[in-house]
């Protein structure tokens, strides 16, 4: 496959510390440029990562005819505006999650040129551990799936951090609560029929710092999750079935330099085996999958419609916070 040539919008930490290093491992793509509103910052990132071109304005990079695709890791409120700007410049766009602040805002992406591929950057859907676990479930390894339980937390009380700014889309549900929603849809191959939630908001930041959610997928299946931006760092996923369970050790921030593991149990409590997978980088796999769609080697699986649906579910959880009732996405 002819390598896809990428430009990076901004020097956001997720990009320079995780996504770009993963992309640089691949022979199926080339990171040729990075842009920042601060040219000095762009040059420093380019020097550290070995990126040949730098731009002091996003618009300048989007005018570069060599660039075919862009990665957009800007703060949440800028995801839709800059994704549309890039799409209208003829660039395919891989946009960080959440793709928007609301489903209504995400729907604006339907105005993008039809020949441009836009996808939400949920790397977990490309991670070897999640793909292998889904294969086991499809084969009936743990029977019929009844429940998915997720815990995901980190501690951040920095008032200048974008995650703690309510005015630009900060808060736990948009930042990490979207992961339980995404992986449950991935595993169940279904959409929740109704959702309900509880929230605790930081009195200073006004962001949701802790949230607990329940999503009813019908047919006796449900997702339950707890997430927090002000708790000890931890993440784990449990998938319970009629014949066993699967536990994913580091489900979201899977390390790229050592084997990822999951535990498979049968009908005897806590008796089973840990399965180690080959070392892989989920960000590399994500970018390569996006590139195959760009090159026409693979049909799009997740695009704008999928992203809008995910935002509808998030919207419903927020409505539940206000209503105190079950809400329909």
């Amino acid at each position: 496959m002819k390598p896809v040539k990428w430009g990076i919008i901004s020097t956001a930490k997720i990009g320079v510390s995780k996504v770009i290093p993963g992309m640089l491992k691949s022979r199926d793509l080339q990171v040729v440029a990075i842009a920042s509103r601060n040219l000095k910052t762009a040059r420093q990132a380019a020097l550290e990562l070995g990126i040949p071109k730098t731009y002091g304005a996003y618009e300048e990079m989007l005018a570069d005819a060599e660039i075919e695709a862009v990665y957009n890791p800007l703060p949440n409120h800028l995801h839709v505006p800059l994704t549309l700007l890039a799409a209208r410049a003829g660039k395919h766009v891989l946009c960080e999650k959440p793709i928007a602040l609301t489903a209504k805002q995400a729907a604006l992406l339907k105005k993008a040129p039809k020949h441009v591929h836009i996808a939400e950057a949920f790397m977990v859907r490309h991670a070897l551990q999640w793909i292998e676990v889904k294969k086991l479930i499809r084969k009936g390894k743990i029977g019929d799936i009844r429940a998915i339980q997720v815990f995901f937390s980190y501690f951040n009380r920095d008032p200048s951090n974008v995650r703690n700014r309510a005015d630009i889309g900060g808060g736990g549900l948009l930042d990490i609560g979207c992961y339980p929603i995404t992986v449950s849809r991935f595993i169940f191959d279904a959409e929740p029929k109704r959702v309900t939630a509880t929230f605790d908001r930081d009195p200073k930041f006004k962001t949701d710092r802790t949230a607990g959610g329940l999503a009813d997928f019908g047919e006796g299946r449900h997702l339950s999750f707890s997430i927090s931006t002000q708790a000890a760092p931890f993440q784990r996923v449990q998938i319970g079935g009629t014949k066993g369970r699967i536990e994913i050790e580091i489900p979201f921030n899977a390390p790229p330099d050592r084997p990822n593991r999951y535990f498979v149990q049968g009908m005897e409590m806590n008796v089973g085996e840990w399965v180690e997978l080959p070392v892989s980088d989920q960000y590399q796999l994500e970018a390569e999958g996006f590139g195959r769609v760009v090159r026409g080697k693979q049909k799009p699986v997740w695009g704008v419609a999928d992203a809008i649906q995910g935002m509808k579910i998030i919207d419903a959880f927020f409505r539940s916070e206000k209503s105190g009732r079950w809400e329909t996405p």
Side-chain angles (χ1 to χ4, degrees), residues 53 161 271 315:
K53 296 182 186 181
N161 190 284
V271 176
D315 287 352

Side-chain angles (χ1 to χ4, degrees), residues 45-284:
L47 181 65
E48 293 174 359
L49 294 163
I51 300 172
K53 296 182 186 181
T54 56
Y55 292 95
Y58 306 139
E59 295 83 358
E60 290 178 8
M61 190 184 74
L62 296 177
D64 185 336
E66 183 184 20
I67 295 169
E68 301 171 275
V70 298
Y71 166 62
N72 176 7
L74 287 166
N76 295 345
H77 70 301
L78 296 176
H79 285 176
V80 168
L82 266 293
T83 293
L84 279 175
L85 189 68
R88 287 165 179 162
K91 314 302 183 185
H92 304 278
V93 187
L94 178 64
C95 180
E96 258 309 327
K97 56 76 200 165
I99 206 161
L101 300 183
T102 65
K104 183 178 180 180
Q105 188 187 45
L108 295 174
L109 295 173
K110 292 191 289 186
K111 297 179 180 179
K114 300 302 181 186
H115 69 281
V116 169
H117 178 48
I118 297 173
E120 195 170 16
F122 277 116
M123 71 293 181
V124 289
R125 295 189 288 207
H126 303 270
L128 291 187
Q129 57 184 354
W130 279 103
I131 291 172
E132 288 302 309
V133 165
K134 186 168 183 175
K135 286 179 181 177
L136 287 180
I137 288 170
R138 283 181 168 174
K139 291 177 180 177
K141 180 69 175 180
I142 60 172
D144 297 329
I145 305 304
R146 293 289 183 246
I148 298 174
Q149 185 183 65
V150 180
F151 192 93
F152 192 4
S153 61
Y154 61 82
F155 194 94
N156 185 331
R157 294 188 66 185
D158 177 2
S160 65
N161 190 284
V162 295
R163 294 166 182 82
N164 292 322
R165 291 185 54 188
D167 59 324
I168 60 173
L173 187 63
L174 285 171
D175 187 39
I176 55 177
C178 54
Y179 283 110
I181 294 168
T182 296
V183 297
S184 60
R185 295 170 65 208
F186 182 74
I187 293 297
F188 284 135
D189 271 327
E191 303 294 343
K193 298 180 180 299
R194 56 177 184 159
V195 304
T196 189
T198 61
F199 287 82
D200 173 57
R201 291 188 174 269
D202 186 284
K204 180 180 178 181
F205 303 142
K206 309 303 180 185
T207 53
D208 52 303
R209 60 184 176 185
T210 303
L214 183 64
D216 177 8
F217 280 80
E219 300 175 8
R221 304 170 300 173
H222 75 264
L223 158 72
S224 60
F225 67 86
S226 295
I227 58 101
S228 181
T229 64
Q230 294 183 23
F234 182 69
Q235 52 186 265
R236 196 63 60 91
V237 170
Q238 302 279 355
I239 303 173
T242 55
K243 296 180 181 179
R245 72 174 176 97
I246 293 175
E247 175 179 342
I248 302 177
E249 185 179 35
I250 309 176
F252 308 116
N253 298 127
D257 55 355
R258 58 188 172 93
N260 302 144
R261 303 195 311 164
Y262 61 86
F263 183 81
V264 183
Q265 173 196 311
M267 293 299 284
E268 190 173 350
M269 185 179 293
N270 295 327
V271 176
E273 63 174 342
W274 283 100
V275 178
E276 284 195 353
L277 296 170
V279 175
S280 63
D281 191 314
Q282 59 186 342
Y283 295 103
Q284 175 188 349

Side-chain angles (χ1 to χ4, degrees), residues 307-326:
I308 292 171
Q309 177 60 28
M311 290 308 308
K312 286 181 179 179
I313 298 166
I314 290 175
D315 287 352
F317 276 117
F318 280 128
R319 289 199 305 274
S320 178
E321 176 188 16
K322 295 179 179 179
S323 71
R325 299 189 300 268
W326 287 94

